[in-house]
């Protein structure tokens, strides 16, 4: 007997559902469940089943729940390989990131977690590509990635100033979004944090405490977020009529050890800042360690602020005043945008900056004029061991 599919609008009670399930599976070989079986047992059309299994939002919630309940009961699994062959792509979302200095960091981990949250429950999965080892600035390699590996879309994380591959990918009409940089191109989608605004808020905080002698530890020169944070610091100081002392702008490369080394030289001078704004939390740790070695107390002798609000900053001693950026949300927005483009094929270009917020803790305080300018008697020749660890 051929059982006609029921319309989605018709209610199906438990007994009827069980009966349909029995009829749908009559004579079936275990493990050979098809979408047609799911449709008959759920009382919906095969098209509706396909949409539910593809996570298509254009399905009524009641129908979705009914189909998912039947698929679970029948232990149905989508044949991903068959779907890939029919669709002529691999359901891969390429995440392109410079492995050197970024993979393994809290920043990248949070972005990746956000992407994975969006992909969970879909057919898509992540394929990681190192933008440095792959040499994506070589245009033929870009074409190879798109056509031979058949990735469905690309999420490019923290490309450098001189990176050419995002534009090349965009010219190949591949869905793409850049995370952590705007690239300055109107035709390429991006999601970023308001680095300029966040740096301005931190600088305002230090000035508001009464600091007029403020130093800055900058990030990597090849990254746009680093330049925006430094610009936010400089412009805010100028807006308040405060001097930006170039000798107090030191390069930390976004690394704690490098920040420690350059801070040792700065803080050992008789004329030093009373507050330092480091462009990320790791560098702020390096500044605080340098201050300790030199006998300076934080925040009594030196206020220190960071940027990122990574997990360890609240537990650091002293707990770090910093600028929190929504790293998880960067991944969420990027992945949702790519899936939206893939489902609509004509989604608008996205230009979005997420707000950064000041997180005030115990590493910053009002300057104390009664403290000695330099309390350390430790000669620089005695601290070379720090450079090795």
């Amino acid at each position: 007997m051929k059982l006609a599919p029921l319309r989605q609008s018709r209610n199906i009670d438990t007994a009827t559902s069980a009966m349909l399930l029995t009829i749908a599976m009559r004579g079936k070989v275990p493990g050979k469940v098809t979408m047609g079986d799911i449709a008959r047992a759920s009382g919906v059309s095969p098209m509706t089943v396909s949409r539910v299994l593809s996570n298509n939002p254009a399905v009524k919630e009641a129908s979705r729940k009914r189909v998912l309940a039947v698929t679970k009961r029948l232990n149905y699994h989508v044949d991903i390989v068959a779907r890939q062959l029919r669709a002529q792509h691999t359901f891969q979302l390429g995440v392109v990131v410079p492995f050197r200095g970024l993979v393994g960091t809290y920043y990248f981990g949070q972005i990746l977690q956000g992407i994975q949250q969006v992909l969970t429950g879909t057919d898509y999965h992540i394929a990681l590509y190192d933008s440095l080892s792959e040499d994506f600035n070589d245009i033929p390699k870009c074409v190879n990635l798109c056509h031979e590996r058949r990735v469905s879309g690309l999420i490019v994380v923290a490309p450098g100033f001189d990176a050419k591959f995002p534009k090349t990918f965009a010219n190949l009409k591949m869905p793409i979004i850049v995370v952590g940089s705007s690239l300055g191109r109107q035709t390429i989608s991006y999601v970023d944090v308001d680095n300029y605004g966040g740096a301005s808020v931190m600088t305002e905080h230090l000035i508001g405490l009464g600091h007029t002698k403020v130093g800055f530890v900058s990030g990597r020169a090849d990254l746009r977020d680093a330049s925006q944070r430094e610009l936010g610091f400089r412009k805010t100081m100028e807006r308040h009529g405060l001097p930006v002392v170039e000798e107090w702008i030191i390069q930390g490369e976004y690394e704690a050890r490098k920040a420690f080394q350059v801070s040792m030289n700065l803080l050992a001078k008789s004329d030093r800042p009373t507050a330092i704004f480091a462009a990320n939390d790791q560098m702020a740790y390096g500044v605080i360690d340098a201050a300790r070695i030199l006998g300076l107390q934080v925040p009594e002798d030196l206020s220190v602020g960071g940027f990122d609000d990574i997990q360890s900053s609240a537990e650091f001693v002293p707990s770090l005043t910093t600028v929190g950026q929504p790293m998880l949300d960067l991944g969420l927005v990027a992945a949702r945008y790519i899936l939206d483009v893939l489902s609509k094929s004509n989604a608008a270009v996205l230009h979005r900056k997420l707000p950064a917020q000041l997180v005030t803790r115990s590493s910053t305080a009002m300057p104390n004029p009664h403290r000695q300018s330099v309390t350390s008697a430790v000669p620089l020749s005695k601290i070379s061991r720090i450079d090795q660890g």
Side-chain angles (χ1 to χ4, degrees), residues 48-290:
T48 298
V49 174
S50 177
R51 288 173 176 169
V52 170
L53 297 178
S54 299
N55 206 30
N56 191 314
V59 179
K60 292 180 180 179
E61 188 60 25
S63 299
R64 183 185 304 278
K65 290 181 178 179
R66 194 158 62 242
V67 169
L68 291 177
V70 171
T71 58
K72 182 177 181 180
R73 198 179 313 167
L74 294 180
N75 196 28
Y76 176 78
H77 299 284
V78 180
D79 189 341
I80 298 295
V81 175
R83 291 195 62 186
Q84 289 176 355
L85 291 174
R86 291 195 299 269
Q88 292 299 302
H89 65 69
T90 59
F91 290 98
Q92 285 190 111
L93 289 188
V95 178
V96 181
V97 59
F99 283 15
R100 184 187 66 204
L102 189 54
V103 169
T105 66
Y106 185 77
Y107 175 81
F108 177 74
Q110 286 290 289
I111 291 174
L112 198 61
Q113 184 177 334
I115 295 171
Q116 188 57 55
Q117 281 188 20
V118 174
L119 300 188
T120 299
T122 74
D123 290 338
Y124 291 93
H125 59 275
I126 295 171
L128 286 178
Y129 298 98
D130 184 358
S131 60
L132 300 178
S133 67
E134 295 278 0
D135 191 18
F136 286 144
N137 284 328
D138 183 345
I139 293 178
K141 285 185 175 290
C142 290
V143 176
N144 178 69
L145 177 68
C146 295
H147 297 301
E148 291 190 15
R149 305 186 195 182
R150 301 200 305 275
V151 293
S152 303
L154 284 172
I155 298 173
V156 180
V157 182
F161 275 124
D162 58 349
K164 302 174 183 177
F165 58 87
K167 182 180 178 181
T168 302
F169 284 135
N171 290 340
L172 292 170
K173 307 302 181 184
M174 167 169 286
I176 180 175
I177 186 168
V178 175
V179 177
S181 178
S182 65
L183 294 184
R185 302 183 185 279
Q186 294 298 315
T187 57
I188 300 179
S189 293
Y190 71 81
V191 56
D192 198 2
V193 170
D194 184 5
N195 291 288
Y196 179 95
S200 180
V201 167
M202 174 59 77
T203 310
E204 290 279 2
H205 169 68
L206 296 173
I207 295 172
L209 289 172
H211 294 279
T212 58
K213 301 171 67 175
V214 185
F216 183 80
V217 186
S218 61
R220 285 171 45 188
D222 62 326
L223 295 179
R224 190 174 298 271
D225 60 355
S227 68
Q228 286 296 300
R229 293 174 192 181
E230 182 173 342
L231 184 62
F233 164 75
R234 288 178 176 273
K235 292 297 185 181
T236 304
M237 292 287 286
E238 292 171 3
R239 190 166 59 248
H240 285 270
L242 297 175
V244 176
V245 182
E246 294 302 325
E247 290 77 10
W248 296 349
I249 310 295
I250 53 180
Q251 178 63 258
E253 300 287 346
Y254 279 156
E255 296 177 1
R257 179 185 294 188
K258 178 65 175 179
F260 171 85
Q261 293 168 348
V262 295
S263 296
M264 287 295 298
N265 294 324
L266 173 60
L267 295 178
K269 296 178 180 179
S270 58
D271 184 22
R272 61 171 179 80
T274 61
I276 291 181
F277 172 20
N280 79 347
D281 288 358
Q282 291 287 348
M283 292 193 299
Y285 301 163
V287 174
I288 293 173
D289 284 344

Side-chain angles (χ1 to χ4, degrees), residues 296-308:
L296 299 174
Q297 296 185 30
V298 176
E300 290 83 359
D301 298 306
L302 178 72
S303 285
V304 180
F307 199 116
D308 283 341

